[in-house]
Amino acid sequence: MASKTPGTEDLKKMQREALEASSAAAAKTLEGFQKLAALNMQTARSALEQSTEQIEALLSARDAKTLADLVTSMAKLSPEQFSAYAKAVYAISSETGGELAAMVQKQIAESNAQLAAAVESLAKGVPAGTPNANDFIAQSMNAAKAAYEQMQAAAQQFAQAAGGGKAGKR
């Protein structure tokens, strides 16, 4: 029976860590959706209370002029309320996006380190006098380094877009 190579165990470990990272990202995303849902429920409750007050005010109007004034004043959207809601949505989105970006950056760095270690381990196992294999390993390392740099740049851009650059500074 063939024994397991170190590469197999490393691969299993990388898969397990990727699954854990995916689960953490999904949990963080759900947390953000829960915060948005809570904000929307609070906003809807506030709007319902305000509507009830407005209906009571309309029903208590004694003349047409008072009724017209009330309707006109109630038809105006409160910029303060809209601004507060928009700021709250942006804060939730920024926080969630920033945390996700930080998680992605961490996962990329860990994956790159694991890949480099695996390739280095492979290079140590290459028999002496096989220059083509050593060239291949060197090219693989360079390609992995370039891919890591591209992924890190993409993660930085995502962090800046999602959280105003906060995630890149952690």
Side-chain angles (χ1 to χ4, degrees):
M1 195 175 255
S3 64
K4 291 184 180 178
T5 63
T8 304
E9 291 302 318
D10 291 339
L11 182 59
K12 285 181 181 180
K13 180 182 176 191
M14 286 173 38
Q15 289 174 334
R16 187 173 42 255
E17 289 173 356
L19 180 62
E20 289 170 1
S22 295
S23 294
K28 192 58 65 180
T29 301
L30 286 174
E31 184 181 314
F33 281 126
Q34 287 174 334
K35 288 177 182 179
L36 283 174
L39 174 65
N40 286 334
M41 288 297 293
Q42 178 184 354
T43 301
R45 186 176 295 120
S46 176
L48 182 62
E49 290 170 2
Q50 185 178 6
S51 294
T52 302
E53 291 172 6
Q54 290 174 344
I55 290 171
E56 289 174 359
L58 289 172
L59 292 174
S60 67
R62 301 284 184 223
D63 57 37
K65 182 180 181 330
T66 304
L67 184 61
D69 290 344
L70 283 171
V71 169
T72 302
S73 69
M74 291 176 192
K76 296 178 184 173
L77 179 61
S78 168
E80 294 82 21
Q81 289 174 326
F82 179 76
S83 176
Y85 177 78
K87 285 179 183 177
V89 169
Y90 178 77
I92 292 169
S93 299
S94 293
E95 177 186 350
T96 304
E99 290 173 358
L100 285 172
M103 292 170 71
V104 167
Q105 284 182 317
K106 179 181 176 196
Q107 186 63 29
I108 289 171
E110 289 173 359
S111 295
N112 185 56
Q114 289 172 347
L115 178 62
V119 170
E120 204 170 299
S121 173
L122 181 64
K124 289 178 183 176
V126 173
T130 52
N132 289 341
N134 288 331
D135 290 343
F136 173 74
I137 291 170
Q139 289 174 351
S140 296
M141 287 297 292
N142 290 337
K145 181 180 177 186
Y148 170 71
E149 290 171 356
Q150 289 176 344
M151 294 281 268
Q152 189 151 18
Q156 283 285 5
Q157 288 176 346
F158 176 75
Q160 290 173 350
K166 295 176 189 172
K169 297 179 184 175
R170 289 184 185 193

